[in-house]
Every structure is written in C-alpha cells, then in structure tokens.
Amino acid sequence: MNRQKRPLSTSEQRIMQLLIQGQTNKAIAMALNLTTGSVETSLHRIYAKLGVDNRVRAALVYLQLTNPSQPLPARENGSPA
C-alpha cells in the first residue's frame, strides 16, 4: 500500500536524505542554505504527504517508499506500521 498522497519535491527529498542520516533541523538548514523555520515547514509538509506525525516515522516510510523490498518494522504494540 502506498501511503504517500503526493510525491515529494526534489528539495523535500534532499531534506529527507539528511534527516535519515540523523541530522538535526539546524544541520539540515545549514547544509541546504535554508533557515531552520523553512526546514520545519518543509518537514510538516513532508509528514502530511507521508501520512506520519514525526521524523522517525517519516524516515521509516520514506526508506520503505524508496526501497519497497524492505518491509516497515512493526510498531511497539505489535501492529503493523
């Protein structure tokens, strides 16, 4: 099942690449020559597109979308992601 409502833009994909490397919003902003506010706004937009509410779930869903052969891990309560 594809949870993504709309595809991520190129700039959103760049942000996600840094996010999955564990970078902070400030580090992402510095790397992409953006303000931290712009990064935060972009992340909220990304979360909406991916149907998640935090950066960890965003990273997991993004990785699964870019590599569909890897299943998402189950949530802590045992239900699928």
Side-chain angles (χ1 to χ4, degrees), residues 5-79:
K5 297 174 186 172
R6 298 183 317 261
L8 298 184
S9 69
T10 302
S11 62
E12 291 168 341
Q13 290 176 33
R14 287 187 196 121
I15 289 171
M16 285 305 302
Q17 288 297 318
L18 294 169
L19 183 139
I20 62 175
Q21 293 173 20
Q23 299 296 316
T24 64
N25 290 359
K26 183 176 180 179
I28 293 169
M30 290 176 56
L32 299 177
N33 199 29
L34 301 169
T35 66
T36 54
S38 293
V39 171
E40 291 168 5
T41 298
S42 293
L43 285 173
H44 287 289
R45 191 177 313 112
I46 290 166
Y47 297 167
K49 287 182 177 184
L50 298 178
V52 299
D53 61 2
N54 64 66
R55 67 195 301 121
V56 173
R57 294 300 304 161
L60 291 171
V61 170
Y62 180 77
L63 287 170
Q64 201 278 327
L65 288 170
T66 58
N67 187 6
S69 64
Q70 293 289 78
L72 287 175
R75 291 188 182 203
E76 288 183 16
N77 65 8
S79 65

